[in-house]
Amino acid sequence: MAKAHGCDNCNEITGASTIDLLNQDLAKKVRTAYDRLEDRGMSACLFGSGGTCCKICNMGPCQIIDGVDTMLGVCGATADTVAARNFARIIAAGTAAHTDHAREMVRGFIATAKGETPHEIKDVDKLHKMAALFGIETEDRDKNEIALELGEKALAEFGQQDGTLTFLKRAPKKQQQIWKKLGVEPRGVDREVVEMMHRTHMGVDQDYKNIMLQGARCALADGWGSSMLSTELTDIMFGTPVPKRAIVDLGCLREDYVNVTVHGHEPLLAESLCLAAEQEDMLELARKAGAKGINLAGVCCTGNEILMRRGIPVAGSFIQQEMVLATGAVEAMVVDVQCVMQSVAQVVKEMHTDIITTNYRAKMPDSVHIQFEEHDAMNSAKEILKKAIGNYKKRGPHYIPKDKKFDVVVGFSHETINYMLGGRFRGSYRPLNDNIINGRIKGVAAIVGCEHFKYADDVHFKIATELIKNNVLVLATGCAASALGRRGLMRPEAAAEYAGPGLAEVCETVGMPPVLHVGSCVDNSRLLIALTEMVNEGGLGEDISELPACGTAPLYMSEKAVAIGQYFVSSGAHVVFQNLPTSGAKKFNKFLLDGMKELYGACWAVEEDPIKLAHHMIKAIDEKREALGINKAQERILMDMQMRRELEGKALPGVGCGGEGEPHGGLAE
Ligand code: MSK
């Protein structure tokens, strides 16, 4: 029988609808990653897990045992050197993935500015703000002209050889000085990835601390460079997310519709499919095939992108991609890049479903390839949809779970948080800072990253509920966000059900959930800006390392999550993972878990148990509160009805109503 999880209470993590589906004969035939994990029947290699397997040159592979002279690498490399090189290469690979995605988005942005795509420049306010950062004149200029100059300058940052990346100047001043002093300011995005690969080649950098200086620079090129460019320019092109109600559940597939799931990462493809699916010729074709229309649903981070901006439902996260297909109700799964399991093409072998690859970088056996051309986006999108519509009549036995369609409120860009808490006319992080200072909110935690199959546990939910119970506001991205949405933590009502009294009071006043969906994995850059805004607002220290804030990517799967973790640490935010591939090298491991603090004011931590992990984060937040002198109980003001009415009058009308436009409202300070 197909498994969705390795433990008895698997509905805890994947949701009741997945269990419902797995009980159907149809789905029982499907083999999932859990089955394959079991089939493998072997535990992970200790050298690989500890980071001390070196296969960088052909004298090996060498398995190093730390402290054993006869178990050095053939070249003499120590465990610390090998683990540092491996870790740094993970950062480089993660940065490269974000960067190649970002470059495509910037190229799409330029094509849009030239009028060569069906998209348009939507967020002119953000366009002007970004243009100002790049020193671009905006007065009396057409938005497309400004966008073209911005796009070209952004594109130049990838190949830049000298100087520093433009967005570094958005960071708190103290942070910028730390980077300058350490010599880790990224010069150009591609250069940092290339240098990282070179320095970890055989016989180059043999000092783990020096290797990790470049590790930090490479990761910063991701967070404050490519990822941030991608998020900001995508927002300008497709609109900055605002709160909306939506669904995160397998049950979002529709019986009488052509179901098309979009899986991967780059929203250019997904947005084009959204536009094409609304066109009358496509709808007419769907009706001719006997369907009522076309139902788009997301998977993984493409899902998060269209969920945040359009409120289009997410059918499943990374861990559920095979389950989405096991319904037998999907006419086509359209994939682009990253996090697509090769197994998806095998799952549908006996079904009517097509796996459609769309990017020349990412092809797969047993799939159909339709190249997505950004300059001919609408025709590419229509060709893909036609293929899906053509499959509708061939749909055989299928099962769409009917229960537990979890409602979520999503769309919390850092601008939205600003407006929500501070109000339309005085949008600021002041109320958030004040609520942290007065203790209603203890601090802020980020739960980001993937899901995987190693830990048979309800990790994200356990961590998040423990944090919000202790009045820590949670911001989530990527598949972690989908997992938390599936468990009902992104409903405003979740505040009363799970949050501590202080956080619940703030959430109820504003009408927001205690866990905010901030976007896809690329959108972790929004968190950097949110943290910076908190610093700039005042009262919580001079840089990110002084904030009562902490991050985790507990179930990290992808190399991108390590790059993200490192750019947070190098930006001053403490980060806790459940495991790191560095435990086989004592000095290097200690450097990550402690020594980095001296350099950046933050370091990595490892804690396997989710509840202990949450308490590790709470302790880190409490220590910051202590250092800021705000960890004392504040006198609580009891509000009478009149005060409440006044607050509610300022609260965000329509949060979660799916309304377009700028959110407005406010929270009493
Ligand atoms: S998709 S990188 S599994 S978050 Fe961004 Fe999800 Fe992690 Fe892929």
Side-chain angles (χ1 to χ4, degrees), residues 265 300-301 318 339 449-451 478-479 521 557-558 560:
H265 279 81
C300 264
C301 276
F318 173 76
C339 305
C450 326
E451 299 161 306
C479 291
C521 38
M557 171 280 298
S558 154
K560 293 179 288 171

Side-chain angles (χ1 to χ4, degrees), residues 134 178 200 238 302 322 337 366 426 429 473 498-499 584 588 667:
F134 275 85
I178 291 170
T200 52
F238 300 139
T302 294
E322 294 155 324
V337 291
D366 301 314
R426 58 193 171 94
Y429 277 69
L473 176 66
Y498 297 102
F588 175 58
L667 171 69

Side-chain angles (χ1 to χ4, degrees), residues 98 101 234 262-268 270 297-309 312-319 321 336-340 448-451 476-482 517-524 557-558 560 564:
H98 281 150
H101 165 164
T234 305
V262 201
H263 177 9
H265 279 81
E266 292 174 6
L268 268 172
V299 176
C300 264
C301 276
T302 294
N304 286 320
E305 297 273 1
I306 50 179
L307 174 80
M308 288 283 284
R309 295 196 178 84
I312 286 180
V314 168
S317 49
F318 173 76
I319 212 169
Q321 54 190 290
D336 57 14
V337 291
Q338 302 168 20
C339 305
V340 181
V448 312
C450 326
E451 299 161 306
T477 62
C479 291
S482 303
H517 195 320
V518 185
S520 67
C521 38
V522 154
D523 293 334
N524 281 305
M557 171 280 298
S558 154
K560 293 179 288 171
I564 292 166

Side-chain angles (χ1 to χ4, degrees), residues 95 157 160-168 179-180 183-193 213-226 567:
T95 302
E157 300 240 319
Q160 188 173 286
Q161 299 303 316
D162 297 304
T164 55
L165 299 179
T166 302
F167 281 161
L168 292 188
W179 296 334
K180 195 177 192 63
V184 297
E185 293 167 300
R187 296 150 292 189
V189 183
D190 295 349
R191 178 168 182 188
E192 305 315 346
V193 177
L213 282 176
Q214 181 60 19
R217 179 146 62 175
C218 185
L220 289 168
D222 179 345
W224 296 88
S226 53
Y567 72 61

